[in-house]
Amino acid sequence: MTFKIGLLGLGTVGTGAARILLDPEQRHSLLPELQIQRVGVRSLAKPRQVELPPACFTTDLKAIVTDPEIEIVVEVLGGLEPARSLILAAIAHGKHVVTANKAVIARYGDEIYTAANQAGVYVMLEAAVAGGIPVIQPLKQSLGANRVHTVTGILNGTTNYILSRMQQEGGDFSEILADAQRLGYAEADPTTDIDGLDAADKIAILASLAFGGRIKLSEVYCEGIRQVSAADIAYAEKLGFVIKLLAIAHRAGKSRHSPDQDQLEVRVHPTLVPIAHPLASVNGVYNAILIEGEPLGQVMFFGPGAGAGPTASAVVSDLINIAALLKAGLAAGHSSEEVAVHPLLICAHQHYCAVAPMSELNTRFYVRLRTLDHPGVLGKLGTCFGNYGISLESLVQTGVHNEQAEIVVVTHRVCEGDFHQALDEIRSLDAVDSVPSLLRVLQ
Ligand code: HSE
């Protein structure tokens, strides 16, 4: 059998996928049956790194998603539009879709999966989260026996590279970001990575799979790494932590305010991670995902989260899956009440998960304060925290600069809302100059 593919985009990932498909030897035995029929590009003039007949190329992307000969559309354009519209058009024309586009899936997953389920086609997205690391398929299939309670990921290689270098070299964020841009590890416009938006898209997708419901991206708390300083990295190290940008999805249990409702926590923020924690030693551009559930316990996936080869590996794994389904007759590819689909590979859930507001989060905090170096200041701080039931794990005066004391506090687990109230009271004390940093600590 031959399965004809339309490739939307021939950038880094598209080129990587085409190279695998054109060189099937010693790879999966279904690969020779996957044939690139057409490739949609922006410019026909640009030189290409893959050997395909010139007639394959077109700038008419719509013609690919409507081509009756094409059974599977691979969307590796990136960005929201025209990617979203082309995915929907492909589905409407009965084509299966493989996409690496986390931004589209995190925002329009509801629309796309509803359309796909009606059309009886698959939308596969292994490449959308953590590049080459297989994590979508394990969540859909291999871990199905477990009650997952937490997914914790280092899901962005750019920020992990910057934080790792800050840790190793003691440098400041802005100088290491500039060097990372010069070396090609960070984009010229690094906003999506640095501000945590890329990781937020990815954890929304993982949470949806782990907890079996859709996630509103607007409810995912997102804080990036711009405010992480060399001073905090050094203090954290002395206290036995490294700072990582973590993406966390956790089954939080009943809501404080609506006791009948189960809630999730879904959040991205820089986090103090104990050095003995498995994620603490994930450095550089690597990604890792720790999944915790019952009865499994912990399982961690580690590997390259980006790049042509790793991301293309994930794209092609989805193509192999679809080819296998087509062979087995489990992919009808047209609208019908009787469409046979593989129940583990569709996205059947339709409800939205309730996501807890951050004020209900229970977490430990690290906070650095600048105060006057006067008698009684530590006592006043302790009283403010105590007023809100906040128990301190450690409170250390780390030095005096320009007659100001620098004080670092680590709390036990507290309710985030209570902690902020205590901090508001602390900020209003005459003896307190500023609160330069506030970070959460992994349990
Ligand atoms: N920009 C992402 C990262 C890779 O730095 O990990 C693509 O999702």
Side-chain angles (χ1 to χ4, degrees):
M1 281 174 104
T2 301
F3 308 106
K4 293 188 173 153
I5 295 168
L7 190 52
L8 299 176
L10 199 64
T12 311
V13 180
T15 302
R19 281 190 167 155
I20 296 172
L21 293 170
L22 294 170
D23 178 20
E25 211 174 311
Q26 295 174 15
R27 307 191 207 268
H28 196 282
S29 58
L30 278 174
L31 275 189
E33 299 182 37
L34 290 160
Q35 182 191 314
I36 300 173
Q37 176 84 352
R38 303 192 81 184
V39 181
V41 292
R42 278 203 192 96
S43 158
L44 293 175
K46 194 171 165 186
R48 302 289 167 184
Q49 313 293 320
V50 286
E51 283 183 30
L52 284 165
C56 271
F57 292 93
T58 177
T59 54
D60 184 356
L61 305 188
K62 197 84 198 282
I64 292 183
V65 297
T66 55
D67 184 333
E69 287 197 42
I70 288 173
E71 279 174 284
I72 312 169
V73 168
V74 176
E75 185 277 308
V76 282
L77 297 164
L80 295 181
E81 285 294 352
R84 168 188 156 274
S85 302
L86 289 165
I87 289 172
L88 288 168
I91 291 167
H93 285 84
K95 301 183 192 320
H96 307 286
V97 174
V98 173
T99 179
N101 198 324
K102 70 226 133 209
V104 164
I105 295 295
R107 282 161 191 76
Y108 303 111
D110 189 4
E111 183 183 25
I112 288 170
Y113 281 104
T114 301
N117 292 346
Q118 278 168 6
V121 298
Y122 298 95
V123 176
M124 307 284 271
L125 66 155
E126 188 63 69
V129 180
I133 304 174
V135 63
I136 303 291
Q137 179 102 342
L139 277 172
K140 281 184 178 173
Q141 300 196 23
S142 332
L143 298 173
N146 291 275
R147 235 176 247 129
V148 175
H149 59 78
T150 313
V151 178
T152 312
I154 293 175
L155 297 178
N156 183 269
T158 306
T159 44
N160 203 45
Y161 173 84
I162 292 170
L163 291 173
S164 302
R165 278 195 54 191
M166 287 174 74
Q167 179 88 38
Q168 284 150 12
E169 299 166 25
D172 267 317
F173 168 76
S174 49
E175 73 198 35
I176 291 183
L177 169 62
D179 200 45
Q181 286 172 310
R182 189 181 59 77
L183 294 168
Y185 287 106
E187 304 275 348
D189 176 2
T191 311
T192 310
D193 294 315
I194 299 305
D195 291 335
L197 308 172
D198 172 78
D201 288 350
K202 293 169 178 170
I203 197 66
I205 293 170
L206 294 184
S208 174
L209 291 166
F211 301 113
R214 290 182 178 157
I215 304 288
K216 286 199 184 98
L217 191 59
S218 59
E219 293 179 347
V220 178
Y221 177 80
C222 182
E223 184 185 318
I225 66 163
R226 286 182 201 269
Q227 82 287 11
V228 176
S229 68
D232 290 316
I233 288 186
Y235 285 134
E237 191 171 359
K238 280 191 193 136
L239 293 165
F241 299 97
V242 291
I243 299 180
K244 297 285 182 194
L245 183 71
L246 293 190
I248 302 170
H250 176 66
R251 201 187 286 275
K254 300 290 178 205
S255 160
R256 216 181 187 191
H257 301 296
S258 330
D260 295 338
Q261 194 174 42
D262 276 315
Q263 296 193 120
L264 302 181
E265 293 164 4
V266 192
R267 52 198 166 101
V268 174
H269 49 70
T271 313
L272 272 72
V273 179
I275 45 173
H277 189 278
L279 289 168
S281 52
V282 175
N283 287 317
V285 292
Y286 285 97
N287 283 196
I289 304 108
L290 181 72
I291 299 177
E292 295 168 86
E294 184 275 323
L296 176 71
Q298 295 186 326
V299 62
M300 190 159 106
F301 300 83
F302 166 86
T311 313
S313 154
V315 166
V316 177
S317 79
D318 281 343
L319 285 171
I320 292 169
N321 256 317
I322 293 176
L325 293 164
L326 288 164
K327 277 199 116 151
L330 281 170
H334 56 76
S335 290
S336 153
E337 296 281 309
E338 308 272 325
V339 173
V341 287
H342 192 306
L344 296 182
L345 295 178
I346 56 162
C347 177
H349 52 246
Q350 303 206 329
H351 71 284
Y352 277 89
C353 296
V355 175
M358 284 299 277
S359 58
E360 290 193 23
L361 179 70
N362 262 284
T363 183
R364 294 159 74 197
F365 279 98
Y366 157 102
V367 59
R368 182 157 59 92
L369 304 124
R370 292 222 179 93
T371 71
L372 296 178
D373 190 23
H374 286 174
V377 172
L378 291 187
K380 283 181 186 159
L381 295 179
T383 303
C384 287
F385 283 125
N387 288 343
Y388 293 90
I390 290 160
S391 170
L392 305 185
E393 184 180 293
S394 65
L395 186 153
V396 188
Q397 180 162 335
T398 56
V400 179
H401 309 285
N402 303 328
E403 298 187 13
Q404 281 191 345
E406 189 150 71
I407 294 168
V408 168
V409 177
V410 178
T411 72
H412 286 295
R413 272 174 78 120
V414 298
C415 169
E416 176 144 348
D418 296 342
F419 181 80
H420 282 294
Q421 286 194 56
L423 210 55
D424 286 345
E425 199 169 304
I426 285 168
R427 281 195 182 97
S428 72
L429 294 173
D430 288 340
V432 173
D433 175 75
S434 59
V435 182
S437 32
L438 175 63
L439 295 163
R440 293 170 191 82
V441 181
L442 197 64
Q443 325 303 343

